[in-house]
Each structure stands twice: as C-alpha cells, then as structure tokens.
Amino acid sequence: MLSLDEIKELIDLVAEKQFNEFELERGAFRLRLSRGVRFAEAAAPAIVPAAPVTAAAPAPASEAAAPAVAAHSSSPAPEESLHLVTSPIVGTFYRAASPTAEPFAKIGDPVDTGKTLCIIEAMKLMNEIQSDVGGTIARIFVENGQPVEYGQPLFGIKV
Amino acid sequence: MHRFVIHHFETIKSTNDELKAWVNADEFTVITAADQTAGRGRRDRSWHSAPGDGLYMSVLLRPTAQPESVPLISLLTGITVAETLMEFGAAGIDIKWPNDVLACGKKISGVLIEGASAGATGLRLIVGIGVNINQRSFPDDLADTATSLALITERSTPVDAIRDALLDRFARWYDVWRNCGGRAIIARYCELSSYATGKLVRILTDSGDLAGETCGLDASGALQLRTPAGEIRTVISGEVVRLRENED
C-alpha cells in the first residue's frame, strides 16, 4: 500500500511523462492510472463474462488526481475492436515467470504474434500462452494467481 | 515403442530452456545433460544439479488430445519416475501431488513441464525431469529435504540405466494416456501417492494458502481438498505442504 503522498508523486510523474496509462502492483495492492481521454478505448468488451480485473484505486488517489490524469476502476462497456486471447485450458493465471519477475505483458505494450503473454498452470504444467496476433495490449482481464476456465478471455489486444 | 532421439550435453544452462529453443524438433526428442548451470523448477525456483550425479533430462511431446486431458501428463510423469526408482531398489517411494517424487519423505525427483501454444493448436510440451541418483551428500540448505537413489539404496547406479528405464516406462504410460484416457493413470497414481487421500496439507499459492485434508483426485487429476469447514475444494495448482496432526 502506498501513502497518499507517494500516490500524489506518482500521479505527478505520470502526468509529467505524459503516459497514457500506468499500472503498479505490489502484492495485493494495485493502482492503475489512466488519462481520461483513454477511458473509452480501454473499456472491456461486452462479451467478457468475468468481472473486470483492474481494481479500484484507493480513494485518496481520486482526491489527488490532477485534471489530466484520473484514477478509476474500469467498468465493462462495449468495445468492438479488441482481439481476445483466451485460455486453452483450466488453470491458474500468472502474469510473470515467477512471483518476483516482471510481467510478460503490460497494458500499452506492443506485442508481435508468438509473444508470450502469460502462463496458465494446471498441475505444475506451465502453459505459456502466446499472442496469435500483433497489436497493443489494451486489456488484461484476469488477476495474477487467479483460476481461469477454458475459453475465458485473458487479454484484449488492439490490432 | 517410441524412438527417442537423445542429445547429450556435458554442461547446459537448462535442458528445458535448450529444448524449448528447438522449435522444429520432432516429438520424442530428448535432451540430457551431465550438468545444468541454471536448472529450474516451478515458478522459476532453482534446481540443484550436481555434475554427473543426477539425471537432468527434457523430453519433447506434441500431444494432439483434447487440451483438458493434457495436465494428466503431469501425473503420468510422476508415476513414471516413481516406478523407475522402485525398479532400481528405492524403498519408501511416494508422490507428492502433482509429481514431486519422495523417498523416505525427502525429495528425490522434481518435474517441470512447460507448454507453448498459440491458441488451442500446435501444443509443444517440454517435460523436464530431474532425478537425484548418485549424490552422497547435499548442500546444507537441501540436506534436510533432499535425498538420492544412492543414499536410499547405498549403492551407485549408472545414470544412463535410469535414463533408459525411465524413457521406456514413460513411453508406455504415454501410450496409456493416448489410447485409454485418464482413468488408469489416476488409479495407478492413487496407489503410489499417499498424498491423494487422507493427508492433512496446506496448499501454497500466489494468491493465498488453503489448508485441509486430501480426498482424492477428480477426473482431470486435480486434487480434492476438504477444508475444516467441510467444503470440498478443487486444487488445480499450488505447492503442497504436509501438515502434522496438531497443525491447523
């Protein structure tokens, strides 16, 4: 968990560097900042059955938000242009090779076909899921360490 | 019988990493190494490879069965290793779900299976198997939890003999899986593993722990756990830790 001052500093930094989106994850704490103008583009496709995974930012972040940068919890809304990467098996979703490693893919990352996006583990069988298209990661639908079902959307890629 | 084509290296970073890079290799291509400089386990944990004393091997599979039955390969690999070690005289063999093989309560073998697929087609599986064979001692941090075939049987065994016997058994169990489905695999697994039923365990996962008593495997091989509240939970992944009777 970050202090209010740390969150303010982050917002300033994100605004200064003109990032469209910024995501920070530390254990159970997750903070996502994105510019208001990107909000509609980053909304979830309507067909996703699972709850959106981006956690609500803590209340202090909203109070401290600069005009150009708003912290928000994203909510499902129609989105037609995203290509969905789905899970081929039932298992546990991991965004990185180990608990301390960098995620394979973050929102905003450009990806090529064949790029590893995540691992789905079932009974110590670590299944690397690769992108079947080139594009930009627009949505990540599942939290690290959560179970996923066959066919469940994992990533939304803007082609 | 399948024709395994074995490529041996004296020193390699990791047999799994090497085989993963051979994207066009045929099914049943095998890489072995006398020494691994960066052997890996689940969630990128390191695997201690004593040069020349262990079997460090990866086998490439290209299964074409339904994706939901593929994780059973994880269990059949554990069965294969357990039976092979018993064939070579190891006593006290057990399998900790899903496929750590124990001898007299200590780890003698670990398995890491890595799959790569784009969509649901063209699955490549790298079955990595490490077996402690002729080690007479382990580093301090492993001494309480690791053992070897030599420590159990009090004699040395040629690593190649284990490799050949293991591949032979692996091929047979792989054929059982391809031709007969999972029932025989789960039945044999439950005979060999004391963890399958009646064991008090804690499951460690990235998203929290869960304690309970094991109560069998479902048809996919997932562990069934009865929680203290009497609820049955299906465990698909996680590190299983045995609890003593008086722990909760």
Side-chain angles (χ1 to χ4, degrees):
Chain A
M1 186 76 189
L2 298 180
S3 70
L4 180 59
D5 284 342
E6 285 173 314
I7 292 171
K8 281 179 178 169
E9 271 183 38
L10 269 177
I11 290 169
D12 288 342
L13 184 69
V14 169
E16 182 193 329
K17 299 293 181 191
Q18 300 196 323
F19 290 161
N20 284 324
E21 288 193 292
F22 176 85
E23 199 172 333
L24 174 74
E25 199 171 337
R26 280 186 185 173
F29 173 76
R30 191 166 183 185
L31 172 71
R32 184 167 161 223
L33 306 170
S34 70
R35 287 173 179 274
V37 67
R38 297 273 298 173
F39 183 71
E41 289 176 40
I47 60 167
V48 178
V53 298
T54 38
S62 302
E63 288 162 24
V69 183
H72 64 80
S73 78
S74 54
S75 54
E79 170 62 54
E80 288 165 8
S81 60
L82 294 185
H83 174 85
L84 295 183
V85 176
T86 60
S87 179
I89 55 170
V90 174
T92 302
F93 174 86
Y94 298 117
R95 288 189 60 191
S98 78
T100 53
E102 282 290 305
F104 291 111
K106 299 189 288 295
I107 287 175
D109 282 358
V111 293
D112 294 325
T113 303
K115 152 88 178 161
T116 297
L117 301 176
C118 65
I119 287 174
I120 308 287
E121 176 185 18
M123 290 153 52
K124 225 164 84 179
L125 192 156
M126 315 302 283
N127 204 347
E128 289 182 359
I129 308 301
Q130 295 164 347
S131 182
D132 51 356
V133 293
T136 305
I137 303 285
R139 290 298 308 267
I140 301 172
F141 298 114
V142 188
E143 291 274 15
N144 187 60
Q146 294 302 305
V148 292
E149 295 294 328
Y150 173 79
Q152 184 173 334
L154 307 172
F155 293 87
I157 296 177
K158 198 170 175 66
V159 180
Chain B
M1 191 53 63
H2 305 293
R3 290 176 176 272
F4 291 103
V5 178
I6 300 171
H7 303 264
H8 183 74
F9 293 78
E10 276 308 305
T11 300
I12 205 168
K13 199 173 148 218
S14 140
T15 57
N16 263 32
D17 286 348
E18 181 70 23
L19 192 48
K20 207 190 284 184
W22 296 14
V23 287
N24 295 317
D26 292 330
E27 185 166 46
F28 307 121
T29 298
V30 177
I31 288 180
T32 59
D35 184 17
Q36 290 186 115
T37 56
R40 291 184 295 115
R42 181 176 175 271
R43 304 294 285 136
D44 254 1
R45 287 188 202 130
S46 67
W47 172 266
H48 173 70
S49 306
D53 284 339
L55 173 64
Y56 313 115
M57 174 166 82
S58 296
V59 180
L60 179 67
L61 302 178
R62 293 182 179 276
T64 53
Q66 292 299 310
E68 59 268 25
S69 71
V70 168
L72 283 169
I73 292 172
S74 187
L75 300 189
L76 78 82
T77 305
I79 293 171
T80 298
V81 175
E83 287 185 342
T84 303
L85 290 169
M86 288 158 72
E87 178 188 333
F88 282 83
I93 291 292
D94 196 358
I95 310 176
K96 182 165 75 84
W97 188 89
N99 55 23
D100 278 351
V101 178
L102 312 177
C104 300
K106 295 183 172 183
K107 188 159 166 170
I108 192 167
S109 167
V111 172
L112 175 67
I113 307 183
E114 295 180 281
S117 60
T121 57
L123 178 64
R124 285 193 308 138
L125 280 189
I126 316 280
V127 180
I129 301 171
V131 186
N132 298 329
I133 299 176
N134 290 322
Q135 291 94 332
R136 297 287 174 168
S137 64
F138 285 91
D140 287 348
D141 58 328
L142 294 176
D144 290 341
T145 54
T147 191
S148 69
L149 186 62
L151 288 171
I152 296 289
T153 61
E154 298 182 333
R155 64 173 181 270
S156 295
T157 304
V159 171
D160 288 358
I162 303 285
R163 178 199 66 198
D164 292 345
L166 204 154
L167 286 174
D168 188 51
R169 272 185 195 278
F170 186 87
R172 277 186 272 158
W173 276 113
Y174 189 56
D175 277 349
V176 168
W177 174 75
R178 288 203 296 195
N179 300 325
C180 311
R183 190 170 293 189
I185 289 167
I186 288 173
R188 180 61 177 145
Y189 186 90
C190 291
E191 286 174 1
L192 289 169
S193 172
S194 78
Y195 282 78
T197 51
K199 189 80 101 188
L200 294 174
V201 297
R202 186 181 294 281
I203 315 288
L204 313 179
T205 75
D206 278 19
S207 55
D209 299 353
L210 183 66
E213 182 180 353
T214 60
C215 51
L217 308 184
D218 73 9
S220 74
L223 188 63
Q224 305 293 293
L225 192 73
R226 184 180 293 111
T227 66
E231 199 185 347
I232 303 291
R233 300 283 289 270
T234 298
V235 178
I236 303 165
S237 58
E239 174 80 21
V240 176
V241 180
R242 184 182 179 174
L243 293 178
R244 292 189 192 89
E245 295 289 336
N246 58 354
E247 289 182 79
D248 58 14

